[in-house]
Amino acid sequence: PPPSAAHGPTAAHRPLARPTGRVGGMNKASDQARADVARRAEKHKEKMEKLRGHHAEMQSAILQGEDEFWRYAVAGDWRALAQVPADVQVDPDLVLEAVRRSAGAALALAPAGLRGDRGFVLRALEATGGRGLPGAAEELRTDPQLIQRATQLRQRLATQQLAAAAARSGRSPRRGPGGGVGR
């Protein structure tokens, strides 16, 4: 007899192994992996749709002209104000929106005419809860009335933030002398 017959059937002639419990577990793991991949794909699909929407808005802004493109850029990131051409940068509404979005920091990027305009700086302070004065022109940064107004606005903002934090935690803020929130 051939040598393989003496040692039993060859691998090609052995009966197929029966499925074990592990195969069922692998199917379950495989199903979980497929579900995980599907969830991730859906998440990425939503992000891609959002990017396509932003891209379409940007393309529309470009087609409307350079000014509109820069307005779109500043609306997306206030730091773009530093790159905006001077003829667009003088738009007080554009700069005020950037100042609002940046909590006052964008005032330092505004053209000198706006940084030195008392009315504009006051509007910026009102829009940011008193923040932004450091970005104003030197003569306005040292103006006692603007300093006082900025301080009042920051105090009001701090009081509102403390009250909101207390409401979230279920406590009421302590009142200090004069009825204000304090320690």
Side-chain angles (χ1 to χ4, degrees):
S4 62
H7 300 305
T10 62
H13 296 102
R14 285 190 198 133
L16 295 173
R18 289 189 174 173
T20 64
R22 291 180 63 191
V23 172
M26 288 183 66
N27 284 338
K28 189 175 186 179
S30 177
D31 290 345
Q32 284 179 323
R34 281 190 198 98
D36 186 44
V37 167
R39 277 192 302 277
R40 289 181 183 179
E42 189 62 32
K43 183 178 171 184
H44 290 294
K45 181 180 175 184
E46 290 170 7
K47 288 181 180 179
M48 286 302 296
E49 287 173 7
K50 188 175 179 180
L51 283 173
R52 284 186 188 109
H54 288 302
H55 180 73
E57 290 173 10
M58 187 173 68
Q59 289 297 333
S60 173
I62 289 169
L63 291 174
Q64 291 178 28
E66 187 176 335
D67 291 0
E68 196 58 34
F69 167 77
W70 285 110
R71 290 177 205 295
Y72 178 80
V74 172
D77 184 352
W78 62 268
R79 292 172 291 234
L81 189 61
Q83 308 303 317
V84 173
D87 61 318
V88 178
Q89 202 178 46
V90 295
D91 178 355
D93 293 330
L94 173 73
V95 175
L96 188 60
E97 182 58 29
V99 168
R100 184 179 294 114
R101 288 172 152 258
S102 69
L107 188 56
L109 301 175
L114 290 175
R115 288 186 294 115
D117 180 328
R118 182 183 186 80
F120 180 79
V121 170
L122 188 55
R123 285 176 48 204
L125 292 174
E126 297 285 341
T128 62
R131 298 171 290 186
L133 191 57
E138 177 67 30
E139 64 273 7
L140 296 180
R141 281 196 308 258
T142 58
D143 181 292
Q145 290 175 334
L146 283 177
I147 292 171
Q148 181 181 14
R149 185 63 184 146
T151 302
Q152 290 169 343
L153 291 167
R154 283 194 310 271
Q155 181 61 45
R156 182 185 307 157
L157 180 63
T159 300
Q160 291 168 348
Q161 289 172 337
L162 283 172
R168 283 192 304 274
S169 69
R171 301 180 309 190
S172 62
R174 291 186 279 182
R175 299 285 170 181
V181 176
R183 290 186 172 237

